Structures are given as C-alpha cells and as structure tokens.
C-alpha cells in the first residue's frame, strides 16, 4: 500500500501539467492554447506561431482512423511489430523475474525452502535478487540512457534480443554443468547478463518506440495496445513458467509434472529469437521528429507541392 503514496503525491502536479502542444493543436483542435502552453513551458513567446498552427489544424492531414485502410497501409506492420516484440519480451522477462528463487534453488545456489526458516529464506532470496539487479538490471538501463540516441533504438533492441537468446542458450545447453558444486557462480554471472541485455535492449526500447512512431491522434492508443500486449505476455510468462518449470519427475505439491527448468530456458530462448525477428517490423526513430516518423511531415510536403503545382494554372 505504501506504493500508492508517490502516485498520490504526483496527482496534483500532473493535473496542473499541460498536454503536449501536438495533442492540443492536432487532436483537441485548440491552436491558441497550444501556443500558450508552449510559451509557458519554454519561456519563449510563440504568439506568431498561432496562425501556422491554425493552418495545420484546418488542413486535417493524417485524419484517418485506427481501423482505416490508410492506417493499416502506413502503420499496420509497425503496430504488429511494437505489440509483438513487447509481448514476447514480457514472456521472457517476467518469467525470469518472478521465478528467480526457483531457478536459484534448482542449481543449488539457494538451499531448498524446507531446509531453512522463512526469515532465512527471505534474506537469501532478497540478497540473490539484489545482486542480480545491481550487476545486471540497473547497469543495463544506464547503458540505454547514455547510448539510445547514439546507437539508436532499433540496434539496441535487436542486440538485446539476440544476446538474451545467446545467454539463455548458454544457460540451457550445459545446464547440468551449472548445477554441479562450484559452478553456480558461473550460472549467476550468465543469468545476470540476460537481465543486462534485457534492459540494455527491448525492456527499454519496447515502451520508447511506440511513443515515437505513430501519428499524434493515435499515438497513445497504439502505445496502449502495445503495452496491453506486453501485459498479456507477462501473464503468460508468470503462469506458464510456474507450471512448465516443474520437475517432470518430482513436481511441487499441487502441481503436475512440467518440462523442467532446462527445457523452459530453451523455450524462453526461442521466445527471444522470435522477438529478434519481429524487431525488423519496427522502424528506427533515432534522429527523426515525431512528424517524420508518423508521416505527417511527408503529407505536409505533398500538400505544399500540390498547392504549388495548382497555383500557376489558377493564376
């Protein structure tokens, strides 16, 4: 419940925050308010831009709907790409996150639960998860922060899925080697690298890219569809791994035999490989404006050329 406190503290300030100028001008059709909001935020007078923004609103460029043939032609594959990659990522990512304790127990890095007290179990699991976070998860995010505008979203996502596949296979193929005494640290290092490349990879880019490549009127909707696909993947990853990772010979009480941790890692490697392939449906947004990515800038250029071509004949 304490997690609700920061959200409540931000509520008032979020209500005071203006909408983006693109939304206010192109969706809410209020160019004057958009110019005023931009002047307030940027502390620059933009009154002379109001006429231009009114012109953008009156043109009605990119005025197609989500279920229109025009959207399907321009952005249909993009939406398939963002939704599918987010879906596949969350299957692998949440499987790894939620069931770290089962994986660590299976390689004998953490003792079986029945051999220790509840407090001792919590301490050991928390220590292991903190180590993974500090060595893999957090550094991966910082690499993305510093390099996303240098390397680009597409390259980071592609590399992330590829390296997650490689390290998953590195865990699964010699799995019995990792379970032998003295080799658990090597497993943990490899496992931490999967989290590093998840965050220096698709766990960052899958929620950045949908916010950049769709038209202003449909941007939040397409981002929401992509995010919903991700949550569906998280549910599949959470429940699927819980049942799939059960020992085929000695499952936990109340569970049916599964395919085991090793085969589950093979499945997750295949999921990451699919994410790698579907990434090719997602365009690179680095260095381009939102209008360029959505095609709105091209529409403006086409309309300007058409107007220039018509003008001499009507003169």
């Amino acid at each position: 419940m304490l997690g609700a406190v920061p959200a409540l503290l931000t509520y008032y300030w979020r209500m005071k925050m203006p909408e983006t100028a693109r939304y206010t001008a192109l969706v809410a059709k209020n160019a004057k308010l958009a110019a005023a909001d931009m002047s307030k935020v940027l502390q620059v007078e933009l009154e002379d831009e109001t006429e231009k923004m009114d012109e953008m609103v009156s043109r009605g460029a990119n005025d197609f709907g989500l279920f229109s043939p025009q959207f399907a032609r321009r952005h249909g594959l993009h939406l398939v790409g963002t939704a599918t990659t987010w879906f596949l990522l969350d299957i692998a990512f949440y499987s790894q996150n939620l069931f770290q304790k089962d994986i660590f127990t299976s390689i004998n890095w953490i003792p079986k639960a029945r051999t220790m007290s509840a407090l001792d179990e919590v301490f050991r699991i928390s220590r292991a998860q903190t180590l993974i976070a500090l060595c893999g998860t957090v550094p991966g995010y910082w690499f993305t922060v510093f390099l996303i505008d240098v390397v680009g979203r597409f390259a980071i996502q592609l590399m992330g899925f590829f390296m997650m596949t490689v390290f998953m296979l590195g865990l699964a193929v010699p799995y019995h080697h990792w379970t032998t005494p003295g080799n658990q640290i090597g497993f943990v290092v490899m496992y931490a690298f999967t989290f590093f490349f998840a965050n220096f990879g698709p766990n960052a880019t899958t929620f950045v890219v949908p916010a950049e490549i769709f038209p202003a009127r449909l941007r939040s909707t397409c981002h929401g569809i992509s995010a919903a696909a991700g949550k569906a993947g998280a549910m599949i990853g959470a429940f699927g791994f819980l049942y799939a990772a059960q020992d085929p010979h000695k499952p936990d009480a109340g569970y049916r035999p599964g395919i085991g941790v090793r085969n589950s890692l093979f499945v997750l490697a295949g999921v990451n490989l699919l994410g790698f392939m579907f990434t090719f449906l997602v365009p690179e947004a680095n260095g381009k404006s939102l209008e360029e990515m959505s095609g709105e800038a091209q529409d403006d250029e086409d309309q300007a050329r058409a107007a220039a071509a018509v003008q001499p004949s009507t003169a």
Side-chain angles (χ1 to χ4, degrees):
M1 291 175 65
L2 291 176
V5 175
L8 289 173
L9 292 175
T10 62
Y11 183 80
Y12 171 79
W13 297 108
R14 180 62 188 90
M15 295 299 293
K16 293 293 185 180
M17 186 186 300
E19 288 289 354
T20 65
R22 286 181 175 89
Y23 176 87
T24 305
L26 301 177
V27 182
K29 308 294 187 184
N30 192 337
K32 190 170 294 186
L33 178 60
D37 289 340
M38 289 176 66
S39 298
K40 187 187 302 181
V41 173
L42 301 177
Q43 298 181 346
V44 175
E45 285 297 326
L46 295 174
E47 293 178 1
D48 57 327
E49 294 290 319
T50 306
E51 183 178 343
K52 183 178 179 181
M53 296 179 76
D54 278 327
E55 183 184 348
M56 290 173 61
V57 173
S58 63
R59 277 203 307 262
N62 275 322
D63 205 19
F64 49 85
L66 180 66
F67 300 105
S68 65
Q70 195 172 358
F71 177 85
R73 188 181 72 253
R74 289 189 177 193
H75 301 291
L77 287 179
H78 297 165
L79 184 57
V80 171
T82 58
T84 305
T85 52
W86 204 335
F87 171 79
L88 294 168
L89 163 75
D90 279 6
I91 291 178
F93 190 75
Y94 281 90
S95 296
Q96 291 177 270
N97 262 303
L98 295 177
F99 298 102
Q100 286 186 45
K101 66 179 183 65
D102 300 305
I103 294 173
F104 296 151
T105 301
S106 70
I107 63 165
N108 301 314
W109 192 40
I110 294 178
K112 303 290 184 184
R114 61 179 176 273
T115 64
M116 52 185 170
S117 68
L119 287 177
D120 194 28
E121 182 184 12
V122 169
F123 170 74
R124 287 173 180 268
I125 292 172
S126 300
R127 183 178 61 183
Q129 291 181 330
T130 301
L131 183 63
I132 293 293
L134 291 178
C135 296
T137 308
V138 175
Y141 262 130
W142 280 111
F143 267 73
T144 300
V145 168
F146 289 120
L147 296 175
I148 192 168
D149 287 331
V150 178
V151 179
R153 291 93 167 114
F154 177 80
I156 287 178
Q157 183 165 311
L158 205 64
M159 176 196 64
F161 270 126
F162 178 77
M163 296 305 295
M164 287 173 71
T165 304
V166 169
F167 282 107
M168 283 287 188
L169 291 175
L171 295 174
V173 174
Y175 180 75
H176 297 298
H177 167 77
W178 300 122
T179 61
T180 56
N183 295 321
Q184 288 89 347
I185 299 302
F187 181 96
V188 173
V189 171
M190 296 274 286
Y191 194 62
F193 269 114
T194 65
F195 280 96
F196 175 83
F197 283 106
N199 285 355
F200 183 36
N203 197 41
T205 56
T206 49
F207 68 79
V208 171
V209 173
E212 298 180 326
I213 65 174
F214 297 108
R217 293 174 301 100
L218 303 172
R219 189 167 294 136
S220 295
T221 303
C222 293
H223 195 284
I225 291 171
S226 303
K231 302 320 126 191
M235 289 187 285
I236 291 174
F239 289 103
F241 193 87
L242 176 63
Y243 290 96
Q246 294 296 319
D247 191 300
H249 305 295
K250 294 180 180 179
D252 293 339
Y255 292 94
R256 295 180 178 180
I259 60 176
V261 173
R262 181 172 187 258
N263 290 328
S264 297
L265 290 172
F266 275 119
V267 171
L268 294 181
V271 168
N272 289 323
L273 185 59
L274 284 174
F276 175 86
M277 292 187 290
F278 275 99
T279 297
F280 286 97
L281 297 179
V282 182
E284 176 59 79
N286 189 32
K288 298 178 181 178
S289 70
L290 296 177
E291 285 74 23
E292 286 178 296
M293 287 307 306
S294 66
E296 291 167 324
Q298 184 62 44
D299 283 350
D300 292 344
E301 292 178 9
D302 292 344
Q303 290 184 5
R305 290 194 195 99
V310 171
Q311 191 172 4
S313 62
T314 56

